[in-house]
Amino acid sequence: MRKKLVAGNWKMNKTYQDSKKLIKSIGNNLDEDTLSKIDVVICPPFTSLSRARKLTNKSKINIGAQNMYYENDGAYTGEISASMLKALGCKYVILGHSERRQYFSETDFTINLKLKKAIENELISIVCVGESLEQRENKIQNQIVKEQLTNCLTAIDRKDFNKIVIAYEPVWAIGTGKTATPEQANQMHIFIRETIEKLYNQDVSANIKILYGGSVNENNSQELFNQSDIDGGLIGGASLKPESFVKIILSAIN
Ligand code: 13P
């Protein structure tokens, strides 16, 4: 059985100072027993990663970054490498978030390069896919997601799938309060699993975790997580509110 995973993507929120309070209130409300049943990941901005790592050192809460670059090192002003994240104690990295695609010109091609580098550095990548509103209205969401998956996973070996998580985040549901219905989301998750089965095999597709993201909150999380192929969530806004984030985590194990 796939263990559920809930990750909080803080996006560009919280200073180094603010992050302490938030991490502590999340950590204080999650006991060992809960954390043995579910994988919890916190993804603050780069500036708070080391503080987050220190504050969670003794617990099973994992730390992830929201992005990285695909070169090892060198003259790439403003970028952060996979080995830098690894050295800081990050276990996860989010790759190809739709906001990175939209505002920072990320493409499936660069996401694929990043994924290869993350694997090389033994980071677990949360690879984001998802269609826009226009694409859904034109009923081409499956085609879009299939294309994103095929391109992002190009030349990735099946043995490395224990270091890959997929996050389905329909762009029209991100930060809009408009969640995909549990059935809509599950349908896409099933389609993602089928696509991965065709690209690899049944074993890979049955074991890969597929998260849903887009306006998940404490009121809708349980129904989403109860779906057959939804293995947890990538949470934006609600991960900045400790009570909501903890409730979302607990709803995944109930
Ligand atoms: P919201 O939960 O704020 O809609 O954001 C989702 C998201 O983009 C997580 O990566």
Side-chain angles (χ1 to χ4, degrees), residues 67-165:
N67 182 34
M68 51 161 259
Y69 194 50
Y70 53 75
E71 293 290 352
N72 289 332
D73 47 41
Y76 303 103
T77 302
E79 294 296 326
I80 303 277
S81 73
S83 60
M84 290 172 185
L85 298 178
K86 188 74 188 170
L88 216 57
C90 285
K91 190 167 171 193
Y92 289 81
V93 60
I94 299 172
L95 297 180
H97 191 281
S98 64
E99 287 148 16
R100 302 250 11 125
R101 294 174 186 259
Q102 188 180 349
Y103 305 126
F104 305 98
S105 312
E106 290 224 8
T107 63
D108 291 341
F109 179 73
T110 55
I111 295 161
N112 176 251
L113 294 176
K114 290 181 177 192
L115 178 58
K116 287 173 182 157
K117 193 52 72 178
I119 290 170
E120 211 178 289
N121 285 274
E122 300 196 320
L123 289 165
I124 301 176
S125 299
I126 301 176
V127 179
C128 302
V129 295
E131 80 285 358
S132 66
L133 182 60
E134 196 189 345
Q135 289 162 339
R136 181 158 280 260
E137 282 171 352
N138 288 324
K139 300 189 173 34
I140 55 167
Q141 68 272 18
N142 285 14
Q143 183 191 321
I144 295 297
V145 168
K146 183 179 174 184
E147 209 172 278
Q148 290 173 336
L149 279 173
T150 309
N151 294 337
C152 292
L153 297 175
T154 297
I156 301 297
D157 200 287
R158 76 178 63 154
K159 74 166 174 19
D160 291 322
F161 268 76
N162 58 349
K163 293 184 215 82
I164 303 175
V165 173

Side-chain angles (χ1 to χ4, degrees), residues 9 11 94 97 99 169 173-176 213-216 234-238:
N9 174 9
K11 308 192 179 183
I94 299 172
H97 191 281
E99 287 148 16
E169 297 207 310
I174 297 176
T176 57
S215 298
V216 178
L234 183 54
I235 321 297

Side-chain angles (χ1 to χ4, degrees), residues 5-242:
L5 187 159
V6 172
N9 174 9
W10 291 12
K11 308 192 179 183
M12 197 175 73
N13 290 293
K14 305 290 170 189
T15 61
Y16 176 81
Q17 283 78 7
D18 296 338
S19 60
K20 183 175 181 180
K21 197 168 153 213
L22 179 51
I23 293 162
K24 280 199 153 185
S25 37
I26 294 168
N28 289 343
N29 287 292
L30 293 171
D31 57 33
E32 291 258 319
D33 184 49
T34 304
L35 290 170
S36 65
K37 292 182 184 144
I38 182 166
D39 293 326
V40 173
V41 188
I42 295 178
C43 304
F46 289 131
T47 46
S48 292
L49 282 173
S50 85
R51 169 164 260 185
R53 181 66 192 127
K54 280 188 197 122
L55 289 170
T56 56
N57 225 354
K58 293 197 184 79
S59 87
K60 289 203 181 82
I61 297 176
N62 301 291
I63 301 304
Q66 299 172 17
N67 182 34
M68 51 161 259
Y69 194 50
Y70 53 75
E71 293 290 352
N72 289 332
D73 47 41
Y76 303 103
T77 302
E79 294 296 326
I80 303 277
S81 73
S83 60
M84 290 172 185
L85 298 178
K86 188 74 188 170
L88 216 57
C90 285
K91 190 167 171 193
Y92 289 81
V93 60
I94 299 172
L95 297 180
H97 191 281
S98 64
E99 287 148 16
R100 302 250 11 125
R101 294 174 186 259
Q102 188 180 349
Y103 305 126
F104 305 98
S105 312
E106 290 224 8
T107 63
D108 291 341
F109 179 73
T110 55
I111 295 161
N112 176 251
L113 294 176
K114 290 181 177 192
L115 178 58
K116 287 173 182 157
K117 193 52 72 178
I119 290 170
E120 211 178 289
N121 285 274
E122 300 196 320
L123 289 165
I124 301 176
S125 299
I126 301 176
V127 179
C128 302
V129 295
E131 80 285 358
S132 66
L133 182 60
E134 196 189 345
Q135 289 162 339
R136 181 158 280 260
E137 282 171 352
N138 288 324
K139 300 189 173 34
I140 55 167
Q141 68 272 18
N142 285 14
Q143 183 191 321
I144 295 297
V145 168
K146 183 179 174 184
E147 209 172 278
Q148 290 173 336
L149 279 173
T150 309
N151 294 337
C152 292
L153 297 175
T154 297
I156 301 297
D157 200 287
R158 76 178 63 154
K159 74 166 174 19
D160 291 322
F161 268 76
N162 58 349
K163 293 184 215 82
I164 303 175
V165 173
I166 304 292
Y168 169 56
E169 297 207 310
V171 178
W172 48 270
I174 297 176
T176 57
K178 229 188 196 181
T179 329
T181 64
E183 295 74 28
Q184 253 176 345
N186 200 41
Q187 254 178 25
M188 181 56 90
H189 283 224
I190 291 171
F191 175 74
I192 291 172
R193 224 177 275 290
E194 284 168 359
T195 305
I196 292 177
E197 181 172 345
K198 283 189 194 132
L199 291 172
Y200 292 87
N201 60 28
Q202 211 266 331
D203 188 47
V204 170
S205 78
N207 285 309
I208 191 159
K209 285 190 204 345
I210 307 175
L211 313 181
Y212 170 76
S215 298
V216 178
N217 59 46
E218 72 231 56
N219 301 315
N220 60 25
S221 57
Q222 185 156 19
E223 211 186 335
L224 283 161
F225 299 162
N226 278 344
Q227 302 298 309
S228 64
D229 286 78
I230 300 184
D231 305 314
L234 183 54
I235 321 297
S239 73
L240 298 170
K241 301 179 210 140

